Amino acid sequence: MILLHIIIIHFKMKIFKHKSALNKAIKNIQSVSFVPTMGALHKGHVSLIKKAKRKQGKTLVSVYVNPKQFDSKKDFDKYPRNLKKDLLTLKKLKVDYIYLPKYSDIFSFKVNKSIYLHKSSKLLCGKFRQGHFKGVLNIVNRFLEIIKPKFIFLGKKDFQQFFLIKKHIEKRKINSKIILCNTVREKNGIACSSRNKNLNSKQIKIASKVINIIKKEKKLLKQSKKKLNYIKIIKKLKNLSVKKIDYIKILNLKNLKEPKNLKNNFNIFIAFYIGNVRLIDNF
């Protein structure tokens, strides 16, 4: 018990704002498990970090709201931020290293490997958010070059993002392995997301009903092997006061193509607006 007490007292989380200092601290560490975030941490992030900590070596979490992946300044400005709370969460989780870069630190150098945008970047969110995935790959590529992690942890909620990062890592032969982690959900079924903080209680109930409709449709599809009735689903969602639907798509998880038959491993992908808040999910 005395030894445990000493360990707790002497644990100190190290925070870096400049890549040069971070590089110096981690250059001799053989295994770094990396969790990239845009802050406003929630249970999904906590789950990723806990999985990262199970690996041998050190755990590194970045907190950076990347302007290059937003298709409007308004959306960038209203993205939830609470760095003080985030740092308390990360300290409680005993994360080894935190990277809090500024724009000039992360974008001021020329990368060794250019980003690879797989053709599926034009689908789903890529179709409706111009330049989004180019911005995502840009920042991830830079993080990978600075940190050189052995593992990078990503969630299934952003499955298209995971798929594109995976293709980039494979194409550019980057020596980092992606660990894909299950989506963490609230009790009402909504996927944990920083954007949920911008919803009021009434909107949260609507989002929950949307998710339940999609879950039921997935179950029916697996049972009947029939095509999805898009008109019926859209009507149901509109009746729930869903403001706008960007897409509802059935895609094969191996290649992000429309499945030839529903025997394949597929999910229903959806992006919709409640008020001015855009939510994405897949089942």
Side-chain angles (χ1 to χ4, degrees), residues 107-119:
F107 289 109
S108 63
F109 68 97
K110 186 177 180 181
V111 293
N112 293 320
K113 296 183 178 180
S114 61
I115 62 172
Y116 169 69
L117 267 178
H118 187 265
K119 60 184 179 181

Side-chain angles (χ1 to χ4, degrees), residues 13 22-23 64 124 139:
M13 182 174 69
L22 176 63
N23 285 150
Y64 180 68
L124 303 177
I139 190 73

Side-chain angles (χ1 to χ4, degrees), residues 9-215:
I9 287 174
H10 283 84
F11 173 79
K12 188 176 181 180
M13 182 174 69
K14 295 180 180 178
I15 300 173
F16 298 91
K17 294 185 178 180
H18 302 286
K19 60 181 179 292
S20 56
L22 176 63
N23 285 150
K24 189 176 179 180
I26 65 174
K27 67 178 181 180
N28 294 321
I29 297 172
Q30 291 186 342
S31 179
V32 174
S33 292
F34 174 46
V35 182
T37 84
M38 291 207 299
L41 302 181
H42 50 68
K43 289 188 289 185
H45 294 120
V46 171
S47 177
L48 292 175
I49 292 165
K50 285 182 175 178
K51 285 180 172 65
K53 284 181 65 64
R54 291 186 194 130
K55 296 287 185 183
Q56 286 187 338
K58 300 292 185 180
T59 304
L60 190 157
V61 176
S62 64
V63 178
Y64 180 68
V65 184
N66 175 29
K68 289 187 178 289
Q69 67 188 71
F70 288 82
D71 51 353
S72 79
K73 188 177 184 300
K74 187 178 179 181
D75 190 27
F76 172 74
D77 289 341
K78 72 179 182 181
Y79 193 85
R81 294 163 171 86
N82 195 333
L83 183 57
K84 186 177 179 180
K85 187 178 178 181
D86 290 344
L87 291 176
L88 287 172
T89 299
L90 295 171
K91 187 174 182 179
K92 188 176 179 181
L93 289 167
K94 295 186 178 180
V95 169
D96 298 294
Y97 302 114
I98 314 298
Y99 184 31
L100 307 175
K102 292 195 172 172
Y103 185 93
S104 58
D105 192 61
I106 198 77
F107 289 109
S108 63
F109 68 97
K110 186 177 180 181
V111 293
N112 293 320
K113 296 183 178 180
S114 61
I115 62 172
Y116 169 69
L117 267 178
H118 187 265
K119 60 184 179 181
S120 59
S121 64
K122 296 177 182 178
L123 305 172
L124 303 177
C125 288
K127 182 179 179 180
F128 291 90
R129 299 184 69 191
Q130 294 299 314
H132 170 65
F133 287 119
K134 185 177 180 181
V136 170
L137 268 293
N138 191 342
I139 190 73
V140 170
N141 188 43
R142 289 171 180 275
F143 277 138
L144 292 174
E145 201 155 299
I146 292 167
I147 299 164
K148 298 178 177 59
K150 186 172 183 179
F151 304 103
I152 177 171
F153 290 75
L154 302 172
K156 284 184 180 178
K157 180 181 76 71
D158 300 291
F159 189 87
Q160 186 180 16
Q161 176 176 282
F162 147 75
F163 185 85
L164 293 171
I165 293 172
K166 182 173 179 286
K167 291 295 181 185
H168 167 71
I169 286 174
E170 290 172 350
K171 184 74 172 180
R172 298 298 182 235
K173 298 179 180 179
I174 296 170
N175 192 25
S176 295
K177 181 181 178 182
I178 296 181
I179 307 294
L180 183 62
C181 303
N182 289 331
T183 302
V184 177
R185 298 185 178 277
E186 305 290 356
K187 289 181 180 178
N188 58 16
I190 301 175
C192 292
S193 170
S194 299
R195 292 183 185 271
N196 293 350
K197 298 178 190 295
N198 290 333
L199 298 171
N200 60 38
S201 58
K202 184 180 178 181
Q203 291 171 327
I204 287 171
K205 288 179 182 177
I206 294 170
S208 178
K209 289 177 181 178
V210 171
I211 298 310
N212 285 332
I213 287 171
I214 300 302
K215 282 176 72 176

